[in-house]
């Protein structure tokens, strides 16, 4: 009995992992694989990763193969604070211009395409690159960075560069939260490792509760050892993130998937989002 657990290698998901009893989970058969979202998406697709945080877009590509773990996500009600479009010109002047997209993302890349086309009626050309701000902006008019790459870049951004938070743009457009990552499990992994999945899920929920109850203070101290940054910055950052999966989150996901399908970003329309339940009953929402 074993589970390979995908762990997005960004600080925004850390509250759901910080207080895990990794020794206990490892002894029970869990193996943790930390990678950027695009790599974990590929691992889940191939069956090399069985459960964990993945891009919401990747779930949309595999909605009939995966189940979503309830009440867990990486979302934002407004500004997300780590998913930015950096542009040499105002966003309204980006029509027909070239944009470099980070190779680390799936959800945010397609969210940007939805926002620029549906909200601003812009037509753009896109090139996918490794997440390096200087190289991306050397030959393109704008670039998209996510996660810790975006946070580090925003700290030292030249005053001439415009910065747009994709969570804020989505909220302004829809009035709904944007869910960037969900916790999903492959159906066969749930069927083969139900008890271990229950233990893992309970620990995710416990880590989420403890992180929120202590206002992320312990976790922020550990982040500062690696990334620096003022405590006030990290307090503001985590206060803008949300780790729930409410009906409003699901509504926002369905809208995101519908728009992605409409623009041809998803090959197949997402018919339902099935939530895993330890009792064995899976609810479609």
């Amino acid at each position: 009995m074993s589970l390979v657990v995908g762990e997005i290698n960004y600080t925004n998901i850390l509250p759901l992992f910080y207080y895990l009893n990794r020794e206990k989970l490892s002894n029970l058969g869990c193996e943790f694989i930390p990678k950027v979202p695009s790599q974990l998406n590929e691992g889940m697709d191939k069956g090399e990763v069985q459960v964990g945080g993945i891009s919401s877009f990747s779930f949309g590509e595999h909605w009939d193969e995966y189940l979503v773990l309830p009440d867990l996500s990486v979302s934002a009600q407004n500004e997300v604070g780590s998913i930015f479009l950096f542009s040499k010109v105002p966003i309204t002047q980006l029509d027909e211009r070239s944009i470099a997209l980070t190779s680390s993302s799936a959800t945010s890349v397609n969210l940007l395409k939805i926002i620029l086309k549906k909200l601003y009626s812009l037509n753009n050309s896109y090139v996918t690159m490794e997440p390096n701000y200087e190289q991306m902006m050397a030959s393109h008019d704008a670039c998209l960075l996510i996660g810790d790459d975006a946070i580090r870049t925003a700290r030292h951004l030249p005053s001439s560069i415009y910065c747009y938070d994709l969570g804020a743009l989505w909220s302004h457009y829809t009035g709904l939260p944007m869910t960037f990552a969900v916790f999903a499990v492959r159906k066969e992994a749930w069927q083969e490792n139900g008890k271990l999945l229950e233990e893992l899920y309970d620990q995710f929920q416990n880590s989420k509760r403890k992180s929120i109850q202590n206002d992320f203070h312990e976790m922020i101290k550990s982040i500062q050892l690696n990334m620096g940054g003022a405590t006030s910055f990290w307090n503001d950052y985590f206060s803008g993130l949300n780790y729930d999966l409410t009906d409003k989150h699901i509504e926002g996901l369905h809208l995101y998937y519908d728009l992605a399908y409409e623009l041809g970003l998803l090959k197949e329309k997402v018919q339902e989002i099935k939530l895993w339940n330890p009792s064995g009953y899976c609810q479609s929402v």
Side-chain angles (χ1 to χ4, degrees):
M1 184 170 68
S2 63
L3 279 175
V4 180
V5 184
E7 181 174 3
I8 295 175
N9 200 16
Y10 292 142
T11 54
N12 60 11
I13 204 170
L14 190 55
L16 303 176
F17 285 85
Y18 190 73
Y19 290 103
L20 295 186
N21 186 336
R22 292 175 184 260
E23 182 178 359
K24 178 181 179 180
L25 289 170
S26 177
N27 290 335
L28 290 174
C30 287
E31 177 187 359
F32 291 88
I33 306 294
K35 292 183 181 294
V36 299
S38 59
Q39 294 169 329
L40 291 180
N41 299 342
E42 182 180 0
M44 280 279 285
D45 180 30
K46 294 179 177 179
E48 297 167 354
V49 175
Q50 297 166 309
V51 62
I54 61 167
S55 298
S56 296
F57 185 82
S58 183
F59 175 81
E61 295 178 304
H62 301 276
W63 63 270
D64 58 342
E65 302 170 51
Y66 302 167
L67 302 173
V68 171
L69 305 187
D71 200 33
L72 295 172
S73 76
V74 179
S75 305
Q77 301 283 354
N78 200 300
E79 294 182 356
V80 63
S82 56
I83 300 176
F84 295 126
L85 172 69
F86 300 108
S87 178
K88 297 175 182 176
V89 299
I91 194 170
T92 53
Q93 297 178 21
L94 275 175
D95 195 36
E96 304 296 339
R97 293 179 182 256
S98 175
I99 299 175
L101 302 173
T102 175
S103 58
S104 303
S105 171
T107 300
S108 302
V109 160
N110 290 292
L111 176 61
L112 177 63
K113 293 178 180 179
I114 290 170
I115 288 172
L116 293 183
K117 187 65 176 178
K118 300 298 291 187
L119 178 57
Y120 292 98
S121 300
L122 303 180
N123 296 299
N124 299 98
S125 58
Y126 299 99
V127 176
T128 301
M129 300 179 63
E130 290 298 310
N132 182 297
Y133 173 81
E134 286 76 18
Q135 293 179 13
M136 296 167 96
M137 294 294 272
S139 53
H140 300 280
D141 298 293
C143 73
L144 174 69
L145 288 173
I146 71 168
D148 297 350
D149 298 315
I151 292 173
R152 292 189 181 97
T153 299
R155 284 181 186 166
H156 307 290
L157 196 67
S159 59
S160 60
I161 298 297
Y162 296 86
C163 178
Y164 298 94
D165 186 300
L166 264 61
L169 293 177
W170 173 262
S171 175
H172 175 76
Y173 177 40
T174 67
L176 294 168
M178 180 61 209
T179 300
F180 294 94
V182 296
F183 277 65
V185 59
R186 294 182 62 89
K187 288 183 178 179
E188 67 271 18
W190 157 58
Q191 293 164 350
E192 296 169 3
N193 300 284
K195 289 299 182 182
L196 182 52
L197 181 61
E198 287 184 44
E199 174 67 28
L200 177 65
Y201 176 74
D202 288 344
Q203 289 213 28
F204 280 142
Q205 289 287 5
N206 178 65
S207 185
K208 170 184 165 180
R209 283 192 299 269
K210 290 184 69 173
S211 296
I212 293 171
Q213 285 169 0
N214 67 33
D215 293 324
F216 310 102
H217 286 167
E218 291 182 355
M219 186 186 68
I220 286 173
K221 289 179 181 178
S222 70
I223 292 172
Q224 288 173 312
L225 294 176
N226 296 318
M227 290 189 64
T231 300
S232 59
F233 167 81
W234 290 111
N235 285 337
D236 290 341
Y237 175 63
F238 284 106
S239 68
L241 293 174
N242 181 269
Y243 297 99
D244 302 326
L245 193 64
T246 67
D247 290 344
K248 280 293 184 183
H249 291 77
I250 297 296
E251 183 181 351
L253 276 174
H254 275 298
L255 177 59
Y256 171 75
Y257 293 142
D258 287 347
L259 293 172
Y261 176 71
E262 183 180 321
L263 292 179
L265 305 174
L266 280 175
K267 296 179 181 179
E268 182 181 349
K269 187 177 178 63
V270 176
Q271 300 292 340
E272 58 184 355
I273 299 172
K274 284 191 175 182
L275 298 181
W276 167 83
N277 188 299
S279 68
Y281 171 75
C282 297
Q283 178 187 4
S284 297
V285 291

